[in-house]
């Protein structure tokens, strides 16, 4: 059976060979209707781009690096899943490296050295790993940072963490709570910092007291320990946790002392959030759009497009039974 060529695909789809090449390389500079027609022609003919030939022709390997600090948190794993799916849809492979050393600079240098050794075309850096890239990423190496401050050196994208946190806090206040306590994420995390900011601004806007922040590490266990010192105080009626895992820890602490009246809200809308007891009110991140946007931005940088301004993806408050009014 003769090998199917890009020219065969171009003839069937009624497009130029350059358009077929752009679709095969995952370029965002293709009209969605045209892309669908080319992909349908590829599927009909059984065409598979030759990665080695493409690398020789374009200087690109079709492999994208992903840098992550840990996969222990649900947010990181869902982001990795979304980025991998978006890259696969653009016919790109993904190489994941973790920051293994305790020293951030050493870990970042090692991570980017590994990416260079494997010849990746560019990188997506996730969440808590983003503070390390300011010095480690070489000028000219395309990088998209998820949950990072805006920078001229790389493209940055984030959920509307502050807006989401403000909506959860305002919702709890609207239910009749005098104030809302906060179990925050770790220092150095943009997501944690922005969620704390949204919580604080919502309280200040309502003229509500601003309690002392409790600092967690994204885990249910640590949040449980923090909340153990909080929930015996009957004046504490509402808690906003910076992620759903810590919200679970707060609910556990409340149940342990018979506080079935404590209102709790989280952030992320993990798959099991609707099955917590009570079902958890939370802020949903659009992980699929974050992953798609990160890959779209990176491929644009690879195609020579200018670094875009900071991209913010909206969040959405999901109200469930855990955000009960006070007694």
């Amino acid at each position: 059976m003769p090998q199917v060529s890009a020219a065969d695909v171009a003839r069937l789809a009624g497009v130029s060979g350059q358009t077929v090449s752009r679709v095969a390389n995952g370029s965002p500079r293709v009209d969605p209707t045209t892309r669908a027609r080319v992909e349908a022609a590829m599927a009909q003919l059984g065409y598979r781009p030759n990665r080695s030939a493409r690398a020789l022709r374009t200087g690109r390997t079709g492999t994208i690096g992903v840098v992550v600090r840990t996969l222990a948190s649900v947010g990181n794993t869902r982001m990795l899943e979304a980025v991998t799916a978006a890259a696969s849809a653009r016919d790109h492979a993904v190489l994941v490296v973790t920051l293994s050393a305790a020293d951030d600079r050493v870990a970042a240098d090692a991570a980017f050295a590994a990416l260079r050794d494997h010849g990746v075309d560019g990188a997506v850096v996730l969440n808590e790993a983003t503070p390390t890239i300011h010095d480690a990423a070489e000028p000219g190496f395309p990088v998209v940072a998820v949950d990072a401050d805006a920078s001229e050196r790389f493209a940055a994208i984030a959920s509307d963490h502050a807006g989401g946190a403000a909506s959860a806090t305002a919702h709890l206040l609207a239910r009749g709570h005098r104030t809302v306590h906060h179990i925050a994420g770790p220092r150095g995390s943009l997501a944690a910092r922005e969620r704390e900011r949204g919580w604080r601004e919502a309280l200040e806007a309502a003229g509500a007291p601003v309690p002392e922040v409790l600092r967690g590490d994204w885990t249910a266990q640590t949040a449980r320990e923090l909340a153990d010192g909080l929930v015996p105080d009957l004046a504490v009626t509402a808690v906003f946790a910076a992620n759903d895992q810590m919200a679970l820890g707060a609910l556990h602490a409340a149940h342990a002392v018979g506080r079935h009246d404590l209102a709790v809200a989280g952030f992320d809308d993990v798959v099991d959030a609707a099955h917590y007891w009570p079902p958890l009110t939370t802020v949903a991140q659009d992980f699929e759009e974050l992953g798609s946007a990160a890959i779209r931005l990176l491929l644009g940088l690879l195609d020579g497009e200018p670094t875009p301004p900071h991209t913010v993806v909206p969040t959405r408050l999901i109200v469930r039974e855990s955000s009960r009014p006070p007694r």
Side-chain angles (χ1 to χ4, degrees):
M1 183 175 179
Q3 185 175 0
V4 178
S5 69
D8 296 327
V9 175
R11 278 193 296 271
L12 180 59
V15 298
S16 68
Q18 184 179 37
T19 298
V20 173
S21 177
R22 283 177 176 165
V23 172
N25 290 328
S27 171
R29 296 191 296 178
V30 181
D31 176 77
T33 302
T34 302
R35 180 185 300 279
R37 193 164 73 248
V38 172
E39 289 174 344
M42 288 177 172
Q44 181 178 332
L45 295 173
Y47 173 75
R48 295 290 300 171
N50 186 307
R51 288 188 180 275
S52 297
R54 180 171 68 182
L56 289 172
R57 185 175 65 255
T58 66
R60 288 162 57 172
T61 63
T63 301
I64 291 168
V66 176
V67 181
V68 62
R69 180 177 292 282
T70 176
L71 293 175
S73 71
V74 174
N76 282 355
T77 55
R78 291 190 66 183
M79 267 307 312
L80 177 60
E81 181 181 33
V83 167
T84 302
S88 178
R90 298 293 186 90
D91 195 36
H92 279 66
V94 168
L95 172 71
V96 180
V97 295
T98 57
L99 300 179
S100 55
D103 183 272
D104 276 353
R105 181 57 192 269
V106 172
D109 286 345
F112 278 91
L115 295 181
R116 287 192 297 272
D117 288 344
H118 285 85
V120 302
D121 298 326
V124 177
V125 184
L126 302 185
N127 308 345
E128 292 88 353
T130 58
T132 68
I133 66 176
H134 291 273
D135 296 322
E138 296 178 354
F141 181 68
V143 172
V144 173
V146 179
D147 283 350
D149 293 314
S151 170
E152 295 181 354
R153 292 190 57 187
F154 50 81
I157 182 172
S159 290
D160 184 8
H161 299 291
S167 67
T169 305
H171 166 70
L172 290 168
L173 293 174
R175 297 305 303 268
H177 297 279
R178 175 174 170 269
T179 190
V180 178
H181 291 254
H182 183 41
I183 302 178
R187 299 186 189 280
S189 164
L190 177 135
R193 185 171 72 245
E194 285 296 284
R195 292 171 196 179
E196 181 180 337
R197 178 171 71 85
W199 161 79
R200 188 180 304 278
E201 289 179 353
L203 291 179
E204 292 173 346
V210 181
E212 182 179 354
V213 171
L214 301 177
R215 183 73 55 190
D217 62 358
W218 300 130
T219 67
Q221 178 61 40
T222 298
R224 162 71 196 272
E225 294 167 359
L226 291 169
D228 278 342
L230 193 66
V231 295
D233 183 354
L234 296 182
V236 176
T237 63
V239 172
F240 166 56
N243 75 341
D244 290 347
Q245 288 169 283
M246 293 197 296
L248 179 61
L251 288 171
H252 190 183
H255 285 304
V257 296
R259 284 292 309 274
H260 304 304
D261 61 324
L262 184 72
V264 177
F267 205 109
D268 284 338
D269 192 30
V270 300
V271 174
D272 295 329
H275 302 287
Y276 285 10
W277 188 254
L280 184 66
T281 291
T282 184
V283 178
Q285 295 195 72
D286 190 342
F287 288 103
E288 289 73 19
E289 175 55 24
L290 282 167
S292 295
I295 295 300
R296 190 165 58 246
L297 289 171
L298 183 59
L299 296 181
L301 294 176
L302 289 168
D303 283 341
E305 296 177 7
T307 302
H310 190 248
T311 302
V312 178
V313 176
T315 55
R316 181 167 56 98
L317 179 66
I318 308 294
V319 177
R320 299 189 180 103
E321 288 88 333
S322 72
S323 55
R324 59 195 71 181
R327 287 181 179 176

